[in-house]
Amino acid sequence: MAKSGGGRQRPTLEMVAERAGVGRGTVSRVINGSAQVSPHTREAVHNAIAELGYSPNQAARTLVTRRTDTVALVVSEPRDRLFADPFFADIIRGVSSVLHERDLQLMLTTARTEAEHKRVGDYLSGFHVDGALLVSQHRDDPLSTRLAEAGVPVVHGGRPHSPDQPAPYCVDIDNYGGARAATRYLLDRGHRRVATITGSLDMNAGQERLRGYRDVMAAAGIEVDERLVVRGDFSVEGGAEAMARLLDNGPAPDAVFAGSDMMAIGGLRVLRERGLRVPDDVALVGYDDTVMAQHSDPPLSTIHQPTVQMGREMARLLVDVAIPRMVEAETVTLDTHLVVRESG
C-alpha cells in the first residue's frame, strides 16, 4: 500500500469501505456522485472519508468518469495586460465564484502569439480540462476553431470578431448600446466636435463601440471628420498615444469618447500635460466603469458594464449548458448604462 513521505500509510478506497461497512464499489459511487446510494450509506461513507483523511486519486477518477473537474480561462492578451487591466480581474472574480460553488478548479492562462496559441490549444485538446472560457479574442485567434474541432466545450466572453470563428455559447456586453449612450450624452451636453479613441478594431468590442459612436453622430446630422477617429488598443499607453495624435493631427475636439477606461486615463494624462482642463476644455467619457475610473482626477464619466456578472454567466453557461450539451447554442447579452461623474 502507498505510504506518505513520513512513513504513514495513505488512506485507500478499501480502508474507507471497511470503516464505513460497505463495499469498495459503493464508496466509488458515493465519490462519483451517483444517486444510486441511500442517504444513510452516503453519510457513512462521507464520515469515513473525513475520519481517515482520504483523498481520491484524481488521475484514476478521470480515467473512469472522463471528467477533470477543471475549467480553463484563456485570456488572449500578453501576460502583463492580464494583471494591469481591472477588466480581467473582474472576469476572474465572477468565474471563480461560480466554480467555487461547484467544487471545480480554475486554470488561468494567456495566449497571444502563434506559438502560445498552439501550446494552449494542444493542452486543452488533450482532455486536461472539462471545458474552456475564452476572453478578449482577436481576429487572428485560432482557438475557437481548434477547440471546436477537438470537441472541447467552449464559452466565449464577447462575440468573436469573425463569423468564421465558431461561438455557439457566448456571453456578450451591449457594446453598441453603451457607445451610443456615451456619444449621445456628449452631444446632449452641447458638444459638437466629439472625437473617439477606438479600442482594438480586430476585436468585436472595438468594432461595435465605434459603430455606436458613428451611428449617433450620423443621427444628429454631424459629419464625422475622420481625423477625430483615432485607433487605440484598450491600454493606458495606447490611449495616451491616441490622444496625442488626436490633438496633434486634427481639429481640436471639445469632447472625447474613449472605448475603455484604461485609454481614457491615458488620454487624461496627455490632456493635463497639454494644459487642457477636463471637462472645461475637453469633456471625456470612458467605458468599463472600473475602480480606476472612480479614483481618477477628475473622476471619470463612463459606461458601466457588469463585468463580474459576465464572468459568472460565462461559468454558469459552460458548466450547466455547454459541457452537458443541454442546448446546442445559447447567447447571453448583458446591458450597460451611463455613469456620470466629473470628467464629462
Side-chain angles (χ1 to χ4, degrees):
M1 292 185 181
K3 293 179 180 291
S4 66
R8 180 183 174 189
Q9 185 175 358
R10 188 176 68 192
T12 64
L13 202 67
E14 289 77 9
M15 293 168 65
V16 172
E18 182 179 355
R19 176 68 64 92
V22 299
R24 186 181 188 279
T26 299
V27 175
S28 294
R29 285 192 289 274
V30 171
I31 291 173
N32 292 320
S34 172
Q36 299 177 340
V37 181
S38 71
H40 175 76
T41 299
R42 183 177 293 106
E43 181 180 3
V45 171
H46 283 309
N47 288 341
I49 289 173
E51 291 168 6
L52 294 172
Y54 172 75
S55 178
N57 185 321
Q58 185 62 39
R61 183 182 175 190
T62 297
L63 288 173
V64 174
T65 65
R66 307 297 291 176
R67 292 285 299 270
T68 66
D69 290 341
T70 300
V71 166
L73 172 59
V74 184
V75 178
S76 291
E77 297 290 352
R79 192 169 291 104
D80 58 350
R81 179 75 66 84
L82 170 65
F83 295 106
D85 193 331
F87 171 86
F88 299 117
D90 284 347
I91 290 289
I92 294 169
R93 283 174 54 202
V95 169
S96 298
S97 67
V98 171
L99 298 186
H100 177 74
E101 293 170 358
R102 313 298 176 84
D103 290 328
L104 300 175
Q105 303 300 314
L106 174 63
M107 186 196 89
L108 176 63
T109 189
T110 59
R112 187 67 191 99
T113 67
E114 181 179 353
E116 289 171 341
H117 277 127
K118 183 180 186 307
R119 171 182 56 79
V120 171
D122 288 346
Y123 184 84
L124 299 184
S125 301
F127 302 101
H128 297 291
V129 298
D130 296 330
L133 305 165
L134 305 184
V135 177
S136 200
Q137 284 195 286
H138 296 255
R139 179 171 45 223
D140 60 354
D141 191 327
L143 279 179
S144 294
T145 301
R146 171 70 188 280
L147 297 181
E149 292 172 348
V152 179
V154 170
V155 169
H156 292 77
R159 288 182 178 86
H161 177 276
S162 170
D164 296 332
Q165 293 173 303
Y169 305 101
C170 178
V171 179
D172 201 11
I173 298 290
D174 183 11
N175 295 290
Y176 176 74
R180 287 179 58 88
T183 309
R184 189 182 301 112
Y185 168 75
L186 290 170
L187 292 178
D188 289 346
R189 298 282 289 178
H191 303 291
R192 286 299 175 266
R193 297 187 311 279
V194 180
T196 187
I197 298 175
T198 77
S200 303
L201 294 182
D202 64 346
M203 300 176 68
N204 188 66
Q207 290 281 358
E208 287 296 285
R209 292 174 197 180
L210 176 58
R211 185 169 72 91
Y213 159 82
R214 287 192 181 279
D215 284 358
V216 169
M217 296 293 282
I222 300 175
E223 184 177 352
V224 175
D225 186 322
E226 290 305 314
R227 292 173 295 176
L228 294 177
V229 178
V230 184
R231 183 169 178 171
D233 63 358
F234 290 128
S235 73
V236 172
E237 289 307 316
E241 292 169 4
M243 183 66 79
R245 293 198 305 273
L246 181 61
L247 298 176
D248 291 340
N249 299 331
D254 58 8
V256 178
F257 163 50
S260 76
D261 287 349
M262 301 289 281
M263 293 192 300
I265 288 168
L268 189 62
R269 184 181 72 205
V270 171
L271 291 170
R272 185 179 295 112
E273 291 170 352
R274 300 291 182 93
L276 295 170
R277 298 167 300 167
V278 176
D280 297 351
D281 298 319
V282 181
L284 182 62
V285 174
Y287 197 112
D288 286 327
D289 194 21
T290 61
V291 173
M292 295 174 69
Q294 301 172 36
H295 297 290
S296 64
D297 181 22
L300 189 64
S301 294
T302 186
I303 297 297
H304 174 82
Q305 59 175 354
T307 315
V308 175
Q309 183 185 355
M310 183 181 189
R312 286 197 297 263
E313 286 295 320
M314 289 170 60
R316 178 201 64 79
L317 190 57
L318 181 66
V319 174
D320 294 347
V321 179
I323 290 175
R325 302 289 184 184
M326 298 298 292
V327 296
E328 289 302 313
E330 182 176 336
T331 295
V332 177
T333 302
L334 303 176
D335 291 333
T336 61
H337 64 267
L338 176 70
V339 177
V340 177
R341 298 194 179 97
E342 296 173 24
S343 72

